[in-house]
Amino acid sequence: ITDNAATALANCCTFNGSLVASDDSNQTAYAVTPNPDAAQAWRLHRISLATGAAVTVDLPVGERVAALLRRPATATLFALSDAGAGLRLVTISNAGVVTPRGSTIAADCCAARVGVAALSADGTRIAFVARLKSANATTPLSMWVLDAASGAIVSSVELSHAPDVLFSNSGTTFST
């Protein structure tokens, strides 16, 4: 993020680089940050990469985002988020309106690795790394793949290591 954007967000918040998505064609970056007051709503920031101008809106109180992904072709901002009932796939509008894509991903889902997610090259799948909340620390992580339209689970594959990043290879495939 340029110096312009840093100025636009002065004294804003704690900024986690993992909760950032970009839309290169529109020269816009999106970021989600916690509110300095933990009892208040988290915030969505839209930042122009051309001018540094920023717009900030509150997300619904209790909404906790674990990953943020942007699909420029449809101007869709996807998030993996938990509002207290379990992790689920949502879309977030520029006004901060959160719309679920389906229901909670699975019972007891998930302790997600923040920011370790990817959108498939064709935009139809979203992958992320997590383990069930009831699992212990020695339980291997899994790569979960969701249908981007419905939020339904397409697959869940146990991983041999804990990746820090996921990549979309082509079509609907991913690698760590």
Side-chain angles (χ1 to χ4, degrees):
I1 297 180
T2 67
D3 287 340
N4 288 337
T7 301
L9 297 175
N11 300 316
C12 136
C13 41
T14 303
F15 199 87
N16 180 336
S18 298
L19 296 178
V20 175
S22 68
D23 183 339
D24 297 339
S25 62
N26 290 313
Q27 295 187 7
T28 304
Y30 298 83
V32 171
T33 59
N35 190 305
D37 179 346
Q40 299 299 313
W42 284 23
R43 296 176 175 153
L44 172 68
H45 309 276
R46 281 183 298 122
I47 306 159
S48 168
L49 298 177
T51 67
V55 174
T56 299
V57 297
D58 286 342
L59 297 175
V61 173
E63 200 70 52
R64 300 293 183 253
V65 174
L68 198 61
L69 304 154
R70 176 78 174 171
R71 183 171 184 211
T74 59
T76 304
L77 186 63
F78 291 102
L80 292 168
S81 190
D82 188 340
L87 195 68
R88 69 208 195 288
L89 180 63
V90 301
T91 58
I92 303 175
S93 75
N94 286 342
V97 175
V98 173
T99 305
R101 293 271 174 123
S103 57
T104 300
I105 293 167
D108 199 29
C109 184
C110 288
R113 293 204 60 181
V114 173
V116 183
L119 179 66
S120 64
D122 68 0
T124 64
R125 303 280 188 266
I126 291 174
F128 67 100
V129 174
R131 70 171 48 97
L132 295 177
K133 290 179 183 178
S134 61
N136 62 43
T138 61
T139 303
L141 292 164
S142 293
M143 178 173 66
W144 297 68
V145 178
L146 306 177
D147 180 278
S150 69
I153 298 170
V154 174
S155 65
S156 175
V157 178
E158 208 170 85
L159 299 172
S160 61
H161 66 288
D164 292 321
V165 66
L166 285 178
F167 298 99
S168 173
N169 296 328
S170 64
T172 60
T173 62
F174 299 93
S175 64
T176 60

